[in-house]
PDB file of all heavy atoms in Angstrom:
ATOM      1  N   SER A  31     240.227  17.696 223.065  1.00 92.00           N
ATOM      2  CA  SER A  31     240.807  18.288 224.212  1.00 92.00           C
ATOM      3  C   SER A  31     240.740  19.906 224.048  1.00 92.00           C
ATOM      4  O   SER A  31     240.587  20.621 225.056  1.00 92.00           O
ATOM      5  CB  SER A  31     242.198  17.905 224.458  1.00 92.00           C
ATOM      6  OG  SER A  31     242.976  18.189 223.327  1.00 92.00           O
ATOM      7  N   GLU A  32     240.947  20.322 222.770  1.00 93.00           N
ATOM      8  CA  GLU A  32     240.949  21.681 222.529  1.00 93.00           C
ATOM      9  C   GLU A  32     239.567  22.321 222.596  1.00 93.00           C
ATOM     10  O   GLU A  32     239.273  23.450 223.036  1.00 93.00           O
ATOM     11  CB  GLU A  32     241.564  22.024 221.113  1.00 93.00           C
ATOM     12  CG  GLU A  32     243.048  21.705 221.050  1.00 93.00           C
ATOM     13  CD  GLU A  32     243.508  21.877 219.649  1.00 93.00           C
ATOM     14  OE1 GLU A  32     242.680  21.640 218.641  1.00 93.00           O
ATOM     15  OE2 GLU A  32     244.674  22.175 219.441  1.00 93.00           O
ATOM     16  N   GLN A  33     238.594  21.550 222.163  1.00 93.00           N
ATOM     17  CA  GLN A  33     237.174  21.910 222.227  1.00 93.00           C
ATOM     18  C   GLN A  33     236.738  22.038 223.768  1.00 93.00           C
ATOM     19  O   GLN A  33     236.051  22.975 224.130  1.00 93.00           O
ATOM     20  CB  GLN A  33     236.277  20.933 221.582  1.00 93.00           C
ATOM     21  CG  GLN A  33     236.441  20.907 220.050  1.00 93.00           C
ATOM     22  CD  GLN A  33     235.662  19.883 219.364  1.00 93.00           C
ATOM     23  OE1 GLN A  33     235.264  18.807 219.976  1.00 93.00           O
ATOM     24  NE2 GLN A  33     235.385  20.043 218.014  1.00 93.00           N
ATOM     25  N   LEU A  34     237.188  21.105 224.559  1.00 94.00           N
ATOM     26  CA  LEU A  34     236.925  21.131 226.007  1.00 94.00           C
ATOM     27  C   LEU A  34     237.506  22.359 226.678  1.00 94.00           C
ATOM     28  O   LEU A  34     236.843  23.069 227.407  1.00 94.00           O
ATOM     29  CB  LEU A  34     237.448  19.899 226.740  1.00 94.00           C
ATOM     30  CG  LEU A  34     236.518  18.707 226.913  1.00 94.00           C
ATOM     31  CD1 LEU A  34     237.285  17.509 227.576  1.00 94.00           C
ATOM     32  CD2 LEU A  34     235.283  19.107 227.727  1.00 94.00           C
ATOM     33  N   ASP A  35     238.807  22.663 226.222  1.00 94.00           N
ATOM     34  CA  ASP A  35     239.453  23.961 226.806  1.00 94.00           C
ATOM     35  C   ASP A  35     238.585  25.147 226.419  1.00 94.00           C
ATOM     36  O   ASP A  35     238.326  26.039 227.233  1.00 94.00           O
ATOM     37  CB  ASP A  35     240.808  24.038 226.201  1.00 94.00           C
ATOM     38  CG  ASP A  35     241.765  23.056 226.873  1.00 94.00           C
ATOM     39  OD1 ASP A  35     241.426  22.335 227.760  1.00 94.00           O
ATOM     40  OD2 ASP A  35     242.859  22.961 226.347  1.00 94.00           O
ATOM     41  N   ALA A  36     238.143  25.160 225.096  1.00 91.00           N
ATOM     42  CA  ALA A  36     237.413  26.382 224.649  1.00 91.00           C
ATOM     43  C   ALA A  36     236.019  26.480 225.361  1.00 91.00           C
ATOM     44  O   ALA A  36     235.677  27.642 225.687  1.00 91.00           O
ATOM     45  CB  ALA A  36     237.128  26.194 223.172  1.00 91.00           C
ATOM     46  N   ILE A  37     235.436  25.363 225.560  1.00 94.00           N
ATOM     47  CA  ILE A  37     234.080  25.470 226.303  1.00 94.00           C
ATOM     48  C   ILE A  37     234.210  25.942 227.661  1.00 94.00           C
ATOM     49  O   ILE A  37     233.520  26.897 228.151  1.00 94.00           O
ATOM     50  CB  ILE A  37     233.393  24.096 226.330  1.00 94.00           C
ATOM     51  CG1 ILE A  37     233.061  23.574 224.909  1.00 94.00           C
ATOM     52  CG2 ILE A  37     232.093  24.136 227.148  1.00 94.00           C
ATOM     53  CD1 ILE A  37     232.728  22.084 224.890  1.00 94.00           C
ATOM     54  N   GLU A  38     235.182  25.328 228.440  1.00 96.00           N
ATOM     55  CA  GLU A  38     235.388  25.755 229.832  1.00 96.00           C
ATOM     56  C   GLU A  38     235.859  27.218 229.940  1.00 96.00           C
ATOM     57  O   GLU A  38     235.413  27.984 230.791  1.00 96.00           O
ATOM     58  CB  GLU A  38     236.389  24.841 230.463  1.00 96.00           C
ATOM     59  CG  GLU A  38     235.870  23.454 230.701  1.00 96.00           C
ATOM     60  CD  GLU A  38     236.958  22.458 231.164  1.00 96.00           C
ATOM     61  OE1 GLU A  38     238.137  22.706 230.883  1.00 96.00           O
ATOM     62  OE2 GLU A  38     236.604  21.553 231.817  1.00 96.00           O
ATOM     63  N   THR A  39     236.811  27.667 228.962  1.00 93.00           N
ATOM     64  CA  THR A  39     237.249  29.041 229.091  1.00 93.00           C
ATOM     65  C   THR A  39     236.118  29.966 228.783  1.00 93.00           C
ATOM     66  O   THR A  39     235.978  31.074 229.345  1.00 93.00           O
ATOM     67  CB  THR A  39     238.410  29.189 228.114  1.00 93.00           C
ATOM     68  OG1 THR A  39     239.460  28.224 228.398  1.00 93.00           O
ATOM     69  CG2 THR A  39     239.022  30.587 228.253  1.00 93.00           C
ATOM     70  N   ALA A  40     235.299  29.716 227.817  1.00 92.00           N
ATOM     71  CA  ALA A  40     234.148  30.579 227.434  1.00 92.00           C
ATOM     72  C   ALA A  40     233.241  30.637 228.609  1.00 92.00           C
ATOM     73  O   ALA A  40     232.645  31.783 228.894  1.00 92.00           O
ATOM     74  CB  ALA A  40     233.446  30.022 226.257  1.00 92.00           C
ATOM     75  N   LEU A  41     232.957  29.573 229.340  1.00 95.00           N
ATOM     76  CA  LEU A  41     231.938  29.575 230.432  1.00 95.00           C
ATOM     77  C   LEU A  41     232.606  30.162 231.710  1.00 95.00           C
ATOM     78  O   LEU A  41     231.956  30.939 232.463  1.00 95.00           O
ATOM     79  CB  LEU A  41     231.469  28.239 230.710  1.00 95.00           C
ATOM     80  CG  LEU A  41     230.516  27.625 229.628  1.00 95.00           C
ATOM     81  CD1 LEU A  41     230.234  26.227 230.061  1.00 95.00           C
ATOM     82  CD2 LEU A  41     229.332  28.476 229.497  1.00 95.00           C
ATOM     83  N   TYR A  42     233.869  29.824 232.081  1.00 95.00           N
ATOM     84  CA  TYR A  42     234.460  30.015 233.374  1.00 95.00           C
ATOM     85  C   TYR A  42     235.672  31.028 233.359  1.00 95.00           C
ATOM     86  O   TYR A  42     236.034  31.387 234.461  1.00 95.00           O
ATOM     87  CB  TYR A  42     234.764  28.752 234.076  1.00 95.00           C
ATOM     88  CG  TYR A  42     233.778  27.729 234.021  1.00 95.00           C
ATOM     89  CD1 TYR A  42     234.010  26.405 233.481  1.00 95.00           C
ATOM     90  CD2 TYR A  42     232.427  27.905 234.470  1.00 95.00           C
ATOM     91  CE1 TYR A  42     232.987  25.406 233.444  1.00 95.00           C
ATOM     92  CE2 TYR A  42     231.484  26.929 234.433  1.00 95.00           C
ATOM     93  CZ  TYR A  42     231.856  25.709 233.912  1.00 95.00           C
ATOM     94  OH  TYR A  42     230.819  24.710 233.942  1.00 95.00           O
TER      95      TYR A  42
END
Side-chain angles (χ1 to χ4, degrees):
S31 61
E32 294 172 333
Q33 292 176 337
L34 267 178
D35 288 351
I37 298 166
E38 290 173 333
T39 304
L41 291 178
Y42 312 124

